[in-house]
Amino acid sequence: MKKNMSTTIYKVILVMVSVAGVWSSCSNDFLDETTYGEVSPDKMTDPKNVERVIIGAYKMLNGQMDNASNAMNSPASNWSFGDVTSDDAYKGGGGTGDQGQIHRMELYQTDPTMIDVERKWTALYEGIKRVNDALRLLNASTGFDPELKKQRQGELFFLRGHYYFELKKIYNKIPYIDETIIKVEDYNRSNVEFSSEELWQKIAIDFKNAANVLPLNQAQVGRPTSTAAKAYLMKVMVYQKKWQEAYTISEEIVNSKYKLLTNFEDVFLPENDNNAEIIFAVQHSINDGDPNNYNGSIGDRLSAPGGPFYPQYGFHRPSQNLVNAFKTDANGLPVTDNIDVTVQDFVDPRLDYTVGRPGITYKDLGVVYEASWARDLATYGPYAPKKRIVSAKSSYYGSTWPYVSALNYYIIRYAEVLLWRAEAAVELGNLEEARRIVNVIRERAKNSKYVMTLDKKSYAANYKIELYDMPWDNIQKAREAVYLESRLELAMEGERFFNLVRWGVADEVINTEYLIAERKKRSFLTNAHFTKGKNEYFPIPQRYVDGATSKVEQNPNY
Protein backbone atom coordinates (compact mmCIF):
# COMPACT_ATOMS: atom_id res chain seq x y z
CA MET A 1 0.00 0.00 0.00
CA LYS A 2 1.18 3.50 -0.71
CA LYS A 3 1.08 5.18 2.66
CA ASN A 4 0.18 8.88 2.64
CA MET A 5 1.96 9.11 -0.69
CA SER A 6 -0.13 12.04 -1.87
CA THR A 7 1.59 14.17 0.71
CA THR A 8 4.91 12.51 1.52
CA ILE A 9 8.22 13.57 0.10
CA TYR A 10 8.67 10.18 -1.54
CA LYS A 11 6.08 11.06 -4.13
CA VAL A 12 8.78 12.25 -6.52
CA ILE A 13 10.35 9.58 -8.74
CA LEU A 14 14.09 9.47 -8.16
CA VAL A 15 15.13 9.63 -11.79
CA MET A 16 17.88 12.14 -11.16
CA VAL A 17 19.88 10.45 -8.45
CA SER A 18 22.62 7.90 -8.99
CA VAL A 19 23.50 5.17 -6.56
CA ALA A 20 26.86 4.64 -4.89
CA GLY A 21 28.95 1.86 -6.33
CA VAL A 22 30.48 -1.08 -4.58
CA TRP A 23 33.65 -0.45 -2.57
CA SER A 24 36.79 -0.84 -4.61
CA SER A 25 40.13 -1.59 -3.08
CA CYS A 26 41.85 1.54 -4.26
CA SER A 27 39.33 4.35 -3.98
CA ASN A 28 36.86 5.92 -1.58
CA ASP A 29 33.71 5.21 -3.58
CA PHE A 30 31.46 6.77 -0.99
CA LEU A 31 32.91 10.15 -1.98
CA ASP A 32 32.54 9.87 -5.73
CA GLU A 33 30.65 12.66 -7.42
CA THR A 34 27.01 12.06 -8.27
CA THR A 35 26.08 11.50 -11.89
CA TYR A 36 22.76 13.08 -12.75
CA GLY A 37 21.76 10.83 -15.61
CA GLU A 38 20.76 12.35 -18.90
CA VAL A 39 19.88 15.84 -17.65
CA SER A 40 22.07 18.45 -19.27
CA PRO A 41 24.17 20.57 -16.91
CA ASP A 42 22.38 23.79 -17.81
CA LYS A 43 19.08 22.25 -16.69
CA MET A 44 20.30 20.90 -13.37
CA THR A 45 19.57 24.11 -11.48
CA ASP A 46 15.95 24.20 -12.62
CA PRO A 47 13.88 24.08 -9.42
CA LYS A 48 12.10 20.84 -10.36
CA ASN A 49 15.42 19.10 -11.00
CA VAL A 50 16.95 20.43 -7.80
CA GLU A 51 13.91 19.16 -5.90
CA ARG A 52 14.56 15.68 -7.25
CA VAL A 53 18.15 15.79 -6.07
CA ILE A 54 16.97 16.92 -2.63
CA ILE A 55 14.60 13.95 -2.50
CA GLY A 56 17.61 11.78 -3.28
CA ALA A 57 19.26 13.07 -0.09
CA TYR A 58 16.19 12.00 1.88
CA LYS A 59 16.19 8.64 0.18
CA MET A 60 19.33 7.55 2.00
CA LEU A 61 17.62 7.74 5.38
CA ASN A 62 16.56 4.09 5.14
CA GLY A 63 20.09 2.82 4.46
CA GLN A 64 19.17 1.48 1.02
CA MET A 65 21.56 2.70 -1.62
CA ASP A 66 22.13 0.15 -4.33
CA ASN A 67 18.86 -1.59 -5.20
CA ALA A 68 19.88 -4.70 -3.27
CA SER A 69 18.21 -6.41 -0.35
CA ASN A 70 21.18 -6.14 2.01
CA ALA A 71 20.18 -2.85 3.60
CA MET A 72 19.99 -5.19 6.61
CA ASN A 73 23.75 -4.62 6.84
CA SER A 74 23.23 -0.84 7.08
CA PRO A 75 19.86 -0.61 8.84
CA ALA A 76 18.40 2.78 9.66
CA SER A 77 17.12 1.27 12.91
CA ASN A 78 20.63 0.22 13.99
CA TRP A 79 19.20 -3.06 15.33
CA SER A 80 22.56 -4.79 14.87
CA PHE A 81 24.71 -1.83 15.90
CA GLY A 82 22.62 -0.64 18.86
CA ASP A 83 20.68 -3.64 20.20
CA VAL A 84 22.64 -6.81 19.38
CA THR A 85 25.83 -5.24 20.77
CA SER A 86 24.02 -4.36 24.01
CA ASP A 87 22.25 -6.35 26.72
CA ASP A 88 18.89 -6.01 24.94
CA ALA A 89 19.12 -8.52 22.09
CA TYR A 90 20.86 -11.43 20.42
CA LYS A 91 21.61 -11.66 16.73
CA GLY A 92 19.30 -14.64 16.21
CA GLY A 93 18.78 -16.31 12.86
CA GLY A 94 19.83 -19.83 11.91
CA GLY A 95 22.78 -20.20 14.25
CA THR A 96 25.96 -18.24 14.81
CA GLY A 97 27.13 -18.63 11.20
CA ASP A 98 24.00 -17.00 9.77
CA GLN A 99 25.13 -13.40 9.21
CA GLY A 100 28.21 -14.52 11.11
CA GLN A 101 29.77 -11.08 11.04
CA ILE A 102 26.90 -9.78 13.21
CA HIS A 103 27.57 -12.69 15.57
CA ARG A 104 31.13 -11.43 15.86
CA MET A 105 29.76 -7.97 16.58
CA GLU A 106 27.78 -9.33 19.54
CA LEU A 107 30.92 -11.04 20.83
CA TYR A 108 32.76 -7.67 20.52
CA GLN A 109 35.13 -9.19 17.94
CA THR A 110 34.30 -6.70 15.21
CA ASP A 111 37.04 -6.02 12.67
CA PRO A 112 37.52 -3.27 10.04
CA THR A 113 36.80 -5.56 7.06
CA MET A 114 33.26 -6.58 8.00
CA ILE A 115 30.53 -5.81 5.48
CA ASP A 116 28.36 -4.11 8.11
CA VAL A 117 31.20 -1.82 9.19
CA GLU A 118 31.86 -0.84 5.57
CA ARG A 119 28.27 -0.69 4.39
CA LYS A 120 26.97 1.50 7.21
CA TRP A 121 29.86 3.93 6.64
CA THR A 122 29.20 3.91 2.90
CA ALA A 123 25.47 4.49 3.26
CA LEU A 124 25.91 7.44 5.60
CA TYR A 125 28.56 9.09 3.43
CA GLU A 126 26.37 8.54 0.38
CA GLY A 127 23.70 10.51 2.24
CA ILE A 128 26.18 13.29 2.97
CA LYS A 129 27.37 13.34 -0.63
CA ARG A 130 23.81 13.72 -1.85
CA VAL A 131 23.16 16.52 0.64
CA ASN A 132 26.26 18.40 -0.46
CA ASP A 133 25.42 17.99 -4.15
CA ALA A 134 21.90 19.22 -3.50
CA LEU A 135 23.12 22.22 -1.52
CA ARG A 136 25.43 23.30 -4.35
CA LEU A 137 22.68 23.00 -6.94
CA LEU A 138 20.17 24.74 -4.70
CA ASN A 139 22.54 27.62 -4.00
CA ALA A 140 23.20 27.99 -7.73
CA SER A 141 19.53 27.91 -8.68
CA THR A 142 18.04 31.31 -9.54
CA GLY A 143 14.50 30.07 -10.15
CA PHE A 144 13.65 29.05 -6.59
CA ASP A 145 11.16 31.01 -4.54
CA PRO A 146 13.43 32.70 -1.95
CA GLU A 147 11.47 31.52 1.09
CA LEU A 148 11.18 27.96 -0.18
CA LYS A 149 14.89 28.01 -0.94
CA LYS A 150 15.68 28.83 2.69
CA GLN A 151 13.40 26.03 3.83
CA ARG A 152 15.02 23.49 1.53
CA GLN A 153 18.46 24.59 2.74
CA GLY A 154 17.25 23.97 6.28
CA GLU A 155 16.08 20.49 5.36
CA LEU A 156 19.46 19.68 3.86
CA PHE A 157 21.30 21.01 6.90
CA PHE A 158 19.09 18.78 9.04
CA LEU A 159 19.78 15.70 6.92
CA ARG A 160 23.51 16.32 6.92
CA GLY A 161 23.44 16.76 10.68
CA HIS A 162 21.66 13.41 11.01
CA TYR A 163 24.09 11.52 8.79
CA TYR A 164 27.09 12.96 10.59
CA PHE A 165 25.53 12.31 14.00
CA GLU A 166 25.15 8.64 13.10
CA LEU A 167 28.76 8.48 11.90
CA LYS A 168 30.07 10.21 15.02
CA LYS A 169 28.29 7.97 17.51
CA ILE A 170 29.24 4.77 15.61
CA TYR A 171 32.81 5.49 14.42
CA ASN A 172 33.89 8.58 16.41
CA LYS A 173 36.87 9.56 14.21
CA ILE A 174 35.37 10.60 10.89
CA PRO A 175 36.31 12.79 7.89
CA TYR A 176 34.15 15.87 7.53
CA ILE A 177 33.13 17.01 4.04
CA ASP A 178 30.74 19.86 3.27
CA GLU A 179 29.34 21.40 0.09
CA THR A 180 32.45 23.52 -0.51
CA ILE A 181 34.38 20.41 -1.55
CA ILE A 182 33.77 19.94 -5.28
CA LYS A 183 36.71 18.16 -6.91
CA VAL A 184 36.85 14.41 -6.42
CA GLU A 185 40.55 14.57 -5.55
CA ASP A 186 39.73 16.97 -2.71
CA TYR A 187 37.24 14.56 -1.17
CA ASN A 188 39.93 12.36 0.33
CA ARG A 189 39.96 13.85 3.80
CA SER A 190 41.70 12.86 7.00
CA ASN A 191 39.55 11.49 9.81
CA VAL A 192 41.61 13.38 12.38
CA GLU A 193 41.49 16.76 10.67
CA PHE A 194 39.01 17.89 13.32
CA SER A 195 38.91 17.09 17.01
CA SER A 196 35.91 15.40 18.58
CA GLU A 197 34.72 18.71 19.96
CA GLU A 198 35.06 20.39 16.57
CA LEU A 199 33.05 17.61 14.89
CA TRP A 200 30.26 17.95 17.45
CA GLN A 201 30.35 21.69 16.85
CA LYS A 202 29.89 21.23 13.11
CA ILE A 203 26.99 18.84 13.65
CA ALA A 204 25.37 21.27 16.08
CA ILE A 205 25.76 24.14 13.62
CA ASP A 206 23.83 22.22 10.97
CA PHE A 207 20.93 21.67 13.37
CA LYS A 208 21.03 25.29 14.55
CA ASN A 209 20.98 26.53 10.96
CA ALA A 210 18.13 24.16 10.19
CA ALA A 211 16.11 25.32 13.19
CA ASN A 212 16.49 28.96 12.15
CA VAL A 213 14.84 28.51 8.75
CA LEU A 214 12.56 25.48 8.99
CA PRO A 215 8.84 26.03 9.62
CA LEU A 216 6.98 24.83 12.70
CA ASN A 217 4.76 22.72 10.45
CA GLN A 218 5.41 21.00 7.15
CA ALA A 219 2.76 20.43 4.51
CA GLN A 220 4.45 17.17 3.51
CA VAL A 221 5.08 14.54 6.17
CA GLY A 222 8.65 13.36 6.34
CA ARG A 223 10.22 16.79 6.07
CA PRO A 224 11.75 18.05 9.35
CA THR A 225 10.31 20.96 11.29
CA SER A 226 12.09 23.63 13.28
CA THR A 227 11.18 21.76 16.46
CA ALA A 228 12.67 18.55 15.05
CA ALA A 229 15.95 20.37 14.42
CA LYS A 230 15.93 21.66 18.00
CA ALA A 231 15.21 18.17 19.33
CA TYR A 232 18.18 16.80 17.39
CA LEU A 233 20.32 19.68 18.63
CA MET A 234 19.28 18.68 22.13
CA LYS A 235 20.48 15.14 21.43
CA VAL A 236 23.85 16.53 20.33
CA MET A 237 24.09 18.44 23.63
CA VAL A 238 23.15 15.29 25.58
CA TYR A 239 25.91 13.31 23.88
CA GLN A 240 28.38 16.02 24.88
CA LYS A 241 27.01 16.16 28.44
CA LYS A 242 26.17 19.83 28.00
CA TRP A 243 23.29 19.50 30.40
CA GLN A 244 22.22 23.11 30.81
CA GLU A 245 22.10 23.64 27.06
CA ALA A 246 20.12 20.42 26.62
CA TYR A 247 17.66 21.33 29.36
CA THR A 248 17.16 24.83 27.97
CA ILE A 249 16.46 23.52 24.48
CA SER A 250 13.96 21.03 25.89
CA GLU A 251 11.77 23.86 27.23
CA GLU A 252 10.64 24.80 23.75
CA ILE A 253 10.04 21.18 22.72
CA VAL A 254 7.88 20.30 25.72
CA ASN A 255 5.80 23.39 24.99
CA SER A 256 5.38 22.49 21.32
CA LYS A 257 2.69 20.50 19.51
CA TYR A 258 4.36 17.18 20.26
CA LYS A 259 3.01 14.99 23.06
CA LEU A 260 2.78 11.42 24.28
CA LEU A 261 0.03 9.30 22.80
CA THR A 262 -2.43 7.96 25.35
CA ASN A 263 -1.76 4.31 24.54
CA PHE A 264 1.75 2.84 24.28
CA GLU A 265 0.90 0.27 21.59
CA ASP A 266 -0.61 2.93 19.32
CA VAL A 267 2.79 4.59 18.90
CA PHE A 268 4.05 1.60 16.90
CA LEU A 269 1.07 0.95 14.63
CA PRO A 270 1.81 1.95 11.02
CA GLU A 271 -1.60 3.53 10.61
CA ASN A 272 -0.48 5.99 13.30
CA ASP A 273 2.85 6.89 11.66
CA ASN A 274 3.70 10.58 11.95
CA ASN A 275 1.52 10.89 15.03
CA ALA A 276 1.88 13.59 17.69
CA GLU A 277 4.68 11.69 19.44
CA ILE A 278 6.90 11.35 16.39
CA ILE A 279 9.27 14.28 15.98
CA PHE A 280 11.21 12.86 13.03
CA ALA A 281 11.06 9.51 11.26
CA VAL A 282 12.35 7.59 8.27
CA GLN A 283 9.32 7.30 5.98
CA HIS A 284 8.56 3.77 4.81
CA SER A 285 5.98 2.63 2.28
CA ILE A 286 5.06 -0.55 0.42
CA ASN A 287 3.16 -1.26 -2.78
CA ASP A 288 4.06 2.22 -3.99
CA GLY A 289 5.42 1.33 -7.42
CA ASP A 290 8.84 0.11 -6.36
CA PRO A 291 9.01 -3.40 -7.86
CA ASN A 292 10.94 -4.78 -4.88
CA ASN A 293 9.24 -2.83 -2.09
CA TYR A 294 12.64 -1.42 -1.15
CA ASN A 295 10.94 1.72 0.20
CA GLY A 296 9.64 -0.44 3.05
CA SER A 297 11.49 -1.40 6.23
CA ILE A 298 14.18 -3.15 4.21
CA GLY A 299 16.88 -2.85 6.87
CA ASP A 300 14.70 -4.76 9.34
CA ARG A 301 13.42 -7.53 7.09
CA LEU A 302 15.33 -10.24 8.99
CA SER A 303 13.33 -9.53 12.17
CA ALA A 304 10.37 -11.60 10.94
CA PRO A 305 9.54 -13.88 13.91
CA GLY A 306 8.40 -17.06 12.15
CA GLY A 307 5.37 -19.06 13.21
CA PRO A 308 2.24 -19.48 11.08
CA PHE A 309 2.17 -15.88 9.80
CA TYR A 310 5.74 -14.74 9.11
CA PRO A 311 8.88 -16.10 7.43
CA GLN A 312 11.25 -17.64 9.91
CA TYR A 313 14.24 -15.34 9.58
CA GLY A 314 14.30 -15.01 13.35
CA PHE A 315 16.89 -12.26 13.85
CA HIS A 316 16.94 -9.43 16.44
CA ARG A 317 15.87 -11.63 19.34
CA PRO A 318 15.22 -10.08 22.78
CA SER A 319 17.59 -11.25 25.50
CA GLN A 320 16.56 -12.87 28.75
CA ASN A 321 18.22 -9.95 30.50
CA LEU A 322 15.89 -7.51 28.74
CA VAL A 323 12.81 -9.53 29.65
CA ASN A 324 13.94 -9.63 33.27
CA ALA A 325 14.35 -5.85 33.30
CA PHE A 326 10.58 -5.45 32.96
CA LYS A 327 9.88 -7.24 36.25
CA THR A 328 8.16 -5.18 38.95
CA ASP A 329 7.43 -5.66 42.64
CA ALA A 330 4.15 -5.59 44.55
CA ASN A 331 4.35 -1.79 44.52
CA GLY A 332 4.68 -1.70 40.72
CA LEU A 333 8.28 -0.47 40.78
CA PRO A 334 11.23 -2.02 38.92
CA VAL A 335 13.01 -5.12 40.25
CA THR A 336 16.64 -5.29 39.15
CA ASP A 337 17.67 -8.75 40.40
CA ASN A 338 17.99 -10.23 36.88
CA ILE A 339 16.22 -13.40 38.05
CA ASP A 340 14.26 -14.90 35.19
CA VAL A 341 10.65 -13.79 35.01
CA THR A 342 8.02 -16.42 35.88
CA VAL A 343 4.29 -16.44 35.15
CA GLN A 344 3.64 -15.46 38.76
CA ASP A 345 5.79 -12.32 38.64
CA PHE A 346 4.47 -8.82 38.19
CA VAL A 347 5.71 -7.20 34.98
CA ASP A 348 5.64 -3.79 33.37
CA PRO A 349 2.87 -3.85 30.71
CA ARG A 350 5.30 -2.50 28.11
CA LEU A 351 7.01 -5.91 28.13
CA ASP A 352 4.32 -7.66 26.11
CA TYR A 353 4.12 -4.88 23.53
CA THR A 354 7.91 -5.05 23.14
CA VAL A 355 8.67 -8.78 23.27
CA GLY A 356 6.93 -11.87 21.91
CA ARG A 357 6.69 -14.28 24.86
CA PRO A 358 5.38 -17.85 24.89
CA GLY A 359 1.75 -18.02 25.95
CA ILE A 360 1.09 -14.32 25.36
CA THR A 361 -1.24 -13.06 22.63
CA TYR A 362 0.76 -11.93 19.59
CA LYS A 363 -0.63 -8.82 17.91
CA ASP A 364 -4.20 -9.19 16.56
CA LEU A 365 -3.54 -12.54 14.90
CA GLY A 366 -5.81 -14.59 17.12
CA VAL A 367 -2.96 -16.77 18.44
CA VAL A 368 -0.54 -16.81 21.31
CA TYR A 369 3.15 -16.68 20.60
CA GLU A 370 4.80 -20.08 20.98
CA ALA A 371 8.42 -20.95 21.63
CA SER A 372 8.28 -23.16 18.53
CA TRP A 373 8.11 -19.99 16.40
CA ALA A 374 11.68 -19.22 17.42
CA ARG A 375 14.31 -20.19 14.90
CA ASP A 376 17.15 -22.11 16.54
CA LEU A 377 15.41 -22.14 19.89
CA ALA A 378 18.25 -24.02 21.57
CA THR A 379 20.74 -21.28 20.71
CA TYR A 380 18.76 -18.06 21.03
CA GLY A 381 15.92 -18.86 23.41
CA PRO A 382 12.17 -18.43 23.04
CA TYR A 383 11.62 -14.68 22.60
CA ALA A 384 10.85 -12.67 19.47
CA PRO A 385 10.66 -8.98 18.61
CA LYS A 386 7.17 -7.51 18.75
CA LYS A 387 7.23 -3.73 19.16
CA ARG A 388 8.17 -2.93 15.57
CA ILE A 389 6.64 -6.01 13.93
CA VAL A 390 3.52 -5.18 11.92
CA SER A 391 0.54 -7.50 12.10
CA ALA A 392 0.48 -10.00 9.23
CA LYS A 393 -3.19 -9.09 8.81
CA SER A 394 -2.35 -5.43 8.20
CA SER A 395 -2.38 -3.89 4.74
CA TYR A 396 0.87 -2.19 5.84
CA TYR A 397 2.66 -5.56 5.89
CA GLY A 398 4.10 -7.11 2.74
CA SER A 399 3.36 -10.83 2.85
CA THR A 400 5.68 -11.66 -0.07
CA TRP A 401 9.45 -11.31 -0.42
CA PRO A 402 11.23 -9.25 0.90
CA TYR A 403 8.61 -9.29 3.70
CA VAL A 404 8.87 -5.66 4.71
CA SER A 405 6.37 -3.30 6.29
CA ALA A 406 5.37 0.33 5.93
CA LEU A 407 6.01 1.10 9.61
CA ASN A 408 8.28 4.13 9.81
CA TYR A 409 11.48 4.07 11.82
CA TYR A 410 11.32 6.76 14.50
CA ILE A 411 14.59 8.66 14.77
CA ILE A 412 13.31 10.91 17.57
CA ARG A 413 10.05 10.56 19.46
CA TYR A 414 8.72 12.80 22.19
CA ALA A 415 9.16 10.22 24.97
CA GLU A 416 12.89 10.23 24.23
CA VAL A 417 13.04 14.01 24.55
CA LEU A 418 11.38 13.74 27.96
CA LEU A 419 13.95 11.17 29.05
CA TRP A 420 16.81 13.40 27.90
CA ARG A 421 15.24 16.23 29.87
CA ALA A 422 15.09 13.97 32.92
CA GLU A 423 18.77 13.11 32.48
CA ALA A 424 19.66 16.76 32.27
CA ALA A 425 17.60 17.52 35.35
CA VAL A 426 19.46 14.87 37.35
CA GLU A 427 22.86 16.15 36.28
CA LEU A 428 21.81 19.71 37.13
CA GLY A 429 20.75 18.57 40.60
CA ASN A 430 17.00 18.87 40.11
CA LEU A 431 16.12 15.33 41.16
CA GLU A 432 12.46 16.00 41.81
CA GLU A 433 12.03 17.41 38.31
CA ALA A 434 13.59 14.22 36.97
CA ARG A 435 11.23 12.08 39.06
CA ARG A 436 8.22 14.01 37.77
CA ILE A 437 9.30 13.50 34.15
CA VAL A 438 9.96 9.79 34.61
CA ASN A 439 6.54 9.47 36.23
CA VAL A 440 4.94 11.04 33.15
CA ILE A 441 6.44 8.21 31.07
CA ARG A 442 5.37 5.57 33.58
CA GLU A 443 1.89 7.00 33.90
CA ARG A 444 1.36 6.63 30.16
CA ALA A 445 2.39 2.99 30.44
CA LYS A 446 0.14 2.48 33.45
CA ASN A 447 -2.91 3.96 31.74
CA SER A 448 -2.33 2.21 28.42
CA LYS A 449 -4.35 -0.79 27.29
CA TYR A 450 -2.81 -4.03 28.47
CA VAL A 451 -2.37 -7.16 26.37
CA MET A 452 -5.34 -9.48 26.88
CA THR A 453 -5.77 -13.23 26.73
CA LEU A 454 -7.21 -14.63 23.51
CA ASP A 455 -10.72 -14.75 24.96
CA LYS A 456 -10.27 -11.12 26.07
CA LYS A 457 -11.54 -11.96 29.55
CA SER A 458 -8.36 -11.17 31.47
CA TYR A 459 -4.92 -9.66 31.19
CA ALA A 460 -2.35 -11.89 29.53
CA ALA A 461 0.08 -11.53 32.47
CA ASN A 462 0.35 -9.98 35.92
CA TYR A 463 0.78 -6.40 34.82
CA LYS A 464 1.65 -3.89 37.49
CA ILE A 465 3.33 -0.52 37.12
CA GLU A 466 3.19 2.45 39.46
CA LEU A 467 4.85 5.84 39.81
CA TYR A 468 7.80 6.71 42.00
CA ASP A 469 6.02 8.23 45.01
CA MET A 470 9.00 8.82 47.29
CA PRO A 471 11.25 11.85 46.76
CA TRP A 472 14.53 11.26 44.96
CA ASP A 473 17.35 12.49 47.20
CA ASN A 474 20.31 10.46 45.89
CA ILE A 475 21.80 11.54 42.59
CA GLN A 476 23.22 8.11 41.70
CA LYS A 477 19.92 6.34 42.37
CA ALA A 478 18.07 9.01 40.42
CA ARG A 479 20.50 8.61 37.54
CA GLU A 480 20.03 4.83 37.56
CA ALA A 481 16.24 5.20 37.60
CA VAL A 482 16.34 7.43 34.52
CA TYR A 483 18.70 5.03 32.76
CA LEU A 484 16.39 2.10 33.50
CA GLU A 485 13.31 3.99 32.33
CA SER A 486 15.13 4.82 29.10
CA ARG A 487 15.85 1.12 28.60
CA LEU A 488 12.26 0.05 29.21
CA GLU A 489 10.68 2.75 27.07
CA LEU A 490 13.11 2.51 24.14
CA ALA A 491 13.82 -1.24 24.16
CA MET A 492 14.48 -2.78 20.74
CA GLU A 493 14.64 0.64 19.07
CA GLY A 494 18.40 0.58 18.36
CA GLU A 495 19.47 3.04 21.08
CA ARG A 496 20.63 0.90 24.00
CA PHE A 497 24.31 0.34 23.14
CA PHE A 498 24.91 3.99 22.30
CA ASN A 499 23.25 5.04 25.56
CA LEU A 500 25.46 2.69 27.57
CA VAL A 501 28.53 4.17 25.89
CA ARG A 502 27.58 7.79 26.43
CA TRP A 503 26.62 7.07 30.04
CA GLY A 504 30.11 5.64 30.55
CA VAL A 505 28.78 2.33 31.91
CA ALA A 506 29.11 0.02 28.89
CA ASP A 507 32.03 -1.96 30.35
CA GLU A 508 30.36 -2.59 33.70
CA VAL A 509 26.86 -3.28 32.39
CA ILE A 510 27.87 -5.57 29.52
CA ASN A 511 30.65 -7.56 31.20
CA THR A 512 29.34 -7.74 34.76
CA GLU A 513 25.60 -7.20 34.78
CA TYR A 514 24.86 -8.95 31.48
CA LEU A 515 27.41 -11.46 30.23
CA ILE A 516 28.22 -13.27 33.49
CA ALA A 517 24.62 -14.44 33.89
CA GLU A 518 23.74 -14.61 30.21
CA ARG A 519 26.59 -16.99 29.30
CA LYS A 520 25.02 -19.62 31.55
CA LYS A 521 21.85 -19.49 29.44
CA ARG A 522 23.32 -18.80 25.97
CA SER A 523 26.56 -20.67 25.35
CA PHE A 524 27.23 -18.74 22.13
CA LEU A 525 28.21 -15.81 24.39
CA THR A 526 30.98 -17.82 26.08
CA ASN A 527 33.76 -15.84 24.41
CA ALA A 528 32.03 -12.48 24.45
CA HIS A 529 33.90 -9.69 26.21
CA PHE A 530 33.58 -5.92 25.95
CA THR A 531 37.02 -4.30 25.93
CA LYS A 532 37.01 -0.87 27.50
CA GLY A 533 38.87 1.65 25.36
CA LYS A 534 38.06 -0.28 22.19
CA ASN A 535 34.49 -1.47 21.82
CA GLU A 536 32.83 1.86 22.55
CA TYR A 537 33.22 2.58 18.82
CA PHE A 538 33.30 0.51 15.67
CA PRO A 539 36.48 0.36 13.59
CA ILE A 540 37.13 2.63 10.64
CA PRO A 541 36.54 0.53 7.49
CA GLN A 542 39.81 -1.00 6.30
CA ARG A 543 39.17 -0.08 2.66
CA TYR A 544 39.00 3.58 3.67
CA VAL A 545 42.23 3.27 5.65
CA ASP A 546 44.03 1.47 2.82
CA GLY A 547 42.86 3.83 0.09
CA ALA A 548 43.52 7.06 1.95
CA THR A 549 46.15 9.54 0.83
CA SER A 550 45.49 11.86 3.77
CA LYS A 551 46.27 11.01 7.39
CA VAL A 552 43.88 8.36 8.72
CA GLU A 553 43.91 6.90 12.21
CA GLN A 554 42.23 3.63 13.07
CA ASN A 555 40.20 3.62 16.28
CA PRO A 556 42.16 2.35 19.32
CA ASN A 557 42.97 -1.35 19.64
CA TYR A 558 41.70 -2.44 16.22
Side-chain angles (χ1 to χ4, degrees), residues 26-186:
C26 60
S27 67
N28 292 321
D29 295 324
F30 73 97
L31 296 177
D32 286 350
E33 288 187 310
T34 298
T35 302
Y36 295 106
E38 298 178 358
V39 178
S40 61
D42 62 314
K43 296 293 185 183
M44 279 310 305
T45 55
D46 285 355
K48 64 180 181 179
N49 291 334
V50 177
E51 289 281 22
R52 289 173 178 149
V53 179
I54 292 171
I55 295 298
Y58 277 97
K59 181 70 172 173
M60 283 310 304
L61 285 171
N62 78 345
Q64 172 66 309
M65 60 187 168
D66 51 11
N67 203 35
S69 63
N70 62 339
M72 60 201 180
N73 300 120
S74 53
S77 67
N78 286 325
W79 68 268
S80 49
F81 289 84
D83 286 338
V84 171
T85 55
S86 78
D87 49 354
D88 272 8
Y90 317 130
K91 172 186 72 71
T96 58
D98 191 359
Q99 294 290 320
Q101 78 286 354
I102 301 179
H103 171 61
R104 291 173 61 196
M105 288 165 63
E106 71 181 327
L107 298 184
Y108 309 99
Q109 296 173 4
T110 308
D111 74 58
T113 66
M114 287 182 178
I115 184 175
D116 301 76
V117 169
E118 293 183 351
R119 187 173 173 85
K120 186 71 174 178
W121 174 282
T122 305
L124 292 169
Y125 272 109
E126 173 67 10
I128 290 165
K129 175 169 65 69
R130 294 185 183 193
V131 167
N132 289 337
D133 289 338
L135 275 170
R136 286 197 300 272
L137 290 171
L138 180 62
N139 292 337
S141 178
T142 58
F144 249 86
D145 172 84
E147 289 305 310
L148 181 59
K149 189 172 188 176
K150 288 180 183 178
Q151 180 178 316
R152 292 290 186 263
Q153 287 170 333
E155 293 171 24
L156 291 167
F157 292 144
F158 180 96
L159 292 175
R160 187 168 64 189
H162 164 72
Y163 294 132
Y164 271 122
F165 183 92
E166 288 285 285
L167 283 161
K168 185 72 175 72
K169 76 178 185 183
I170 294 171
Y171 301 98
N172 193 31
K173 294 180 180 179
I174 56 173
Y176 188 89
I177 301 127
D178 64 18
E179 74 276 16
T180 64
I181 306 302
I182 300 174
K183 295 180 180 179
V184 173
E185 58 266 29
D186 294 334

Side-chain angles (χ1 to χ4, degrees), residues 228-286:
K230 290 172 184 175
Y232 223 140
L233 178 61
M234 181 187 179
K235 190 171 187 178
V236 173
M237 296 300 113
V238 165
Y239 266 69
Q240 295 179 91
K241 303 185 185 302
K242 295 184 176 181
W243 300 115
Q244 186 59 62
E245 290 94 326
Y247 188 86
T248 300
I249 295 168
S250 73
E251 289 285 349
E252 189 167 344
I253 303 167
V254 298
N255 291 317
S256 70
K257 66 178 181 179
Y258 298 101
K259 61 182 181 180
L260 296 180
L261 294 194
T262 301
N263 186 45
F264 182 73
E265 180 192 23
D266 290 347
V267 180
F268 306 97
L269 297 177
E271 54 266 37
N272 296 331
D273 273 345
N274 303 306
N275 62 65
E277 187 164 337
I278 308 308
I279 296 177
F280 189 71
V282 178
Q283 303 293 309
H284 288 148
S285 63
I286 62 173

Side-chain angles (χ1 to χ4, degrees), residues 427-471:
E427 302 305 329
L428 293 172
N430 194 343
L431 306 190
E432 281 300 280
E433 168 72 355
R435 181 173 73 95
R436 184 193 68 76
I437 295 169
V438 167
N439 278 343
V440 169
I441 300 288
R442 295 182 67 80
E443 187 169 31
R444 191 266 291 275
K446 177 183 177 180
N447 295 333
S448 290
K449 297 175 184 177
Y450 296 171
V451 176
M452 305 296 290
T453 55
L454 283 181
D455 61 12
K456 300 187 184 303
K457 292 183 179 179
S458 61
Y459 295 142
N462 294 326
Y463 301 122
K464 192 172 186 63
I465 182 172
E466 295 295 342
L467 312 186
Y468 290 96
D469 59 356
M470 298 297 291

Side-chain angles (χ1 to χ4, degrees), residues 454-498:
L454 283 181
D455 61 12
K456 300 187 184 303
K457 292 183 179 179
S458 61
Y459 295 142
N462 294 326
Y463 301 122
K464 192 172 186 63
I465 182 172
E466 295 295 342
L467 312 186
Y468 290 96
D469 59 356
M470 298 297 291
W472 287 0
D473 55 10
N474 180 290
I475 190 169
Q476 182 57 30
K477 289 183 178 179
R479 187 181 288 127
E480 290 171 359
V482 175
Y483 291 175
L484 178 57
E485 199 63 33
S486 296
R487 184 185 193 187
L488 301 177
E489 178 69 20
L490 303 172
M492 303 295 283
E493 295 182 48
E495 292 288 341
R496 176 66 173 170
F497 175 77
F498 303 111

